[in-house]
């Protein structure tokens, strides 16, 4: 049979490292294998944890048996959910005095935080046309892909100081000061920076906001861990709220995810918020209209079940209180596992400094391990983490911390 040449011009692309690593972990039959790759919460037994508040909400929804539960919503998404998502992000409490501030925010529902990042990048590429988007070095790998597909040139600002395993604030500020141009977008992690776990302090956030305002840069916040990182919705949204409240003449946007803080990983529940300056609130509805144009051509509307769970939780004082308690449970376990790993490495007198493990914040730790050491951990000990040395602390438990620490100690001593 004669072969017909394809019209496609395609070449292989590298597989997604996180999902490939997770697949290798599941295929591994070693009894002591440990997954420190994928960013999902696990209990101390290594099991998924449907949040108790979510389970109660699901039970109530099942009992209500709403006949509309599988119907279409609006293109912009579930409107009551969007108001709840906005209020969680920006701290609104329903006071009449907040109406002017709310008028600055154009909100639409998205396919989780990834979809919010993608929609925001696409919207800016079409309607603001930034010369560049500045991403932290390092950043979540998917940020690079999202902005590449949006067609916006990507540049990076220093973020991680390898020698001290600390946040490179001076490097970030100097690069943005000297090289960023008016109208450039700057991607900022609202809290629990992925992958380093290092966040600016409040004084540094104030300086970053001042620089963005003075240089007329466009802040693009990715908020994936609100409430999950510290256990406090307010603390984890501090940077976003500071920019919003104290820079009313500066426009910005926020990609918001409920994957981590409500454990709705597979429900793909998120929102995108575009914030106008205080003199441009008249175009808010036009912004929503244009966002809907992009949504309609791509996925029509956001998924319904996850946002319905969020609404059910936030419409009940009891379930809301339960959810806040769930946030404390998750954030506290992550912090305790950081301390446990640090203490074990200190006990073993593992060469180097490990204070950064307890100084970092959120789900991930940028361990400082080299790619060779990471490969040795996988090959010899069946401990899986990204080649950058990023470890998901959620994969640690009281049972496996001694084993993981001993493995790290061995590769640090013997693998250069």
């Amino acid at each position: 049979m004669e072969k017909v040449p394809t019209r496609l011009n395609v070449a292989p692309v590298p597989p997604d490292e996180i999902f490939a690593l997770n697949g290798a972990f599941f295929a591994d039959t070693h009894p002591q294998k440990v997954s420190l790759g994928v960013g999902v919460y696990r209990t101390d037994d290594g099991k998924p944890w449907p949040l108790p508040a979510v389970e109660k909400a699901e039970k109530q929804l099942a009992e209500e048996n709403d006949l509309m539960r599988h119907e279409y919503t609006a293109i912009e998404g579930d409107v009551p959910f969007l108001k709840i998502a906005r209020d969680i992000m920006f701290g609104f409490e329903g006071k009449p005095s907040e109406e002017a501030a709310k008028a600055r925010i154009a909100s639409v529902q998205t396919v989780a935080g990834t979809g919010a990042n993608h929609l925001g990048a696409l919207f800016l590429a079409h309607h603001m046309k930034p010369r560049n988007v500045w991403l932290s070095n390092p950043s979540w790998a998917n940020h690079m892909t999202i902005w590449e597909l949006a067609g916006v040139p990507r540049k990076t600002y220093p973020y991680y100081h390898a020698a001290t395993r600390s946040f490179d604030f001076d490097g970030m500020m100097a690069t943005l000061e000297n090289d960023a141009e008016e109208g450039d977008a700057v991607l900022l992690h609202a809290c629990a920076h992925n992958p380093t776990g290092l966040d600016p302090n409040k004084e540094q956030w104030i300086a970053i906001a001042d620089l963005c305002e003075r240089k007329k840069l466009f802040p693009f916040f990715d908020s994936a861990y609100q409430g999950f990182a510290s256990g406090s919705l307010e603390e984890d949204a501090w940077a976003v709220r500071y920019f919003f409240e104290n820079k009313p003449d500066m426009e910005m946007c926020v990609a918001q995810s409920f994957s981590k803080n409500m454990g709705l990983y597979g429900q793909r529940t998120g929102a995108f918020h575009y914030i106008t300056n205080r003199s441009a609130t008249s175009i808010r509805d036009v912004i929503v209209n244009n966002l809907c144009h992009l949504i309609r051509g791509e996925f029509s509307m956001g998924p319904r079940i996850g946002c319905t769970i969020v609404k059910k939780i936030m419409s009940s004082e009891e379930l809301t209180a339960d959810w806040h308690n769930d946030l404390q449970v998750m954030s506290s376990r992550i912090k305790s596992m950081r301390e446990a790993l640090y203490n074990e490495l200190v006990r073993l007198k593992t060469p180097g400094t490990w204070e950064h493990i307890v100084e970092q914040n959120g789900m991930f730790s940028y361990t400082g391990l080299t790619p060779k050491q990471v490969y040795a951990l996988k090959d010899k000990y069946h401990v899986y983490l990204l080649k950058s040395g990023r470890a998901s602390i959620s994969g640690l438990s009281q049972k496996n911390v001694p084993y993981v620490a001993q493995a790290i100690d061995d590769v640090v001593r013997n693998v250069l």
Side-chain angles (χ1 to χ4, degrees), residues 159-172:
Y159 196 87
Y160 179 69
H161 192 268
T164 58
R165 299 177 182 177
S166 62
F167 169 45
D168 188 1
F169 174 69
D170 292 339
M172 173 185 179

Side-chain angles (χ1 to χ4, degrees), residues 68 97 100 126 157 166 186 215 221 224 291 308 341 355 386 390 398 400 406 409:
M68 297 292 289
S97 60
H126 277 77
Y157 55 85
S166 62
V186 181
K215 297 254 324 168
F221 277 100
L291 288 167
T308 304
L341 179 59
E355 287 83 0
L386 301 191
R390 191 202 80 170
Q398 295 293 340
N400 68 27
Q406 185 64 61
D409 182 80

Side-chain angles (χ1 to χ4, degrees), residues 193-225:
H193 181 272
N194 181 2
T196 68
L198 297 165
D199 294 329
N201 61 37
K202 291 178 180 177
E203 290 74 22
Q204 290 169 334
W205 274 124
I206 291 170
I208 293 168
D210 289 343
L211 183 147
C212 288
E213 182 179 48
R214 178 168 45 79
K215 297 254 324 168
K216 297 182 179 179
L217 307 178
F218 184 90
F220 189 124
F221 277 100
D222 186 358
S223 178
Y225 302 98

Side-chain angles (χ1 to χ4, degrees), residues 72-79 109 300-302:
Y72 292 126
T73 58
I75 296 175
E76 66 262 41
D78 186 301
V79 174
Q109 189 178 339
S300 278
M301 62 202 63

Side-chain angles (χ1 to χ4, degrees), residues 296-309:
R296 180 59 172 154
E298 187 164 330
F299 59 94
S300 278
M301 62 202 63
R304 183 162 195 150
I305 302 301
C307 71
T308 304
I309 292 171

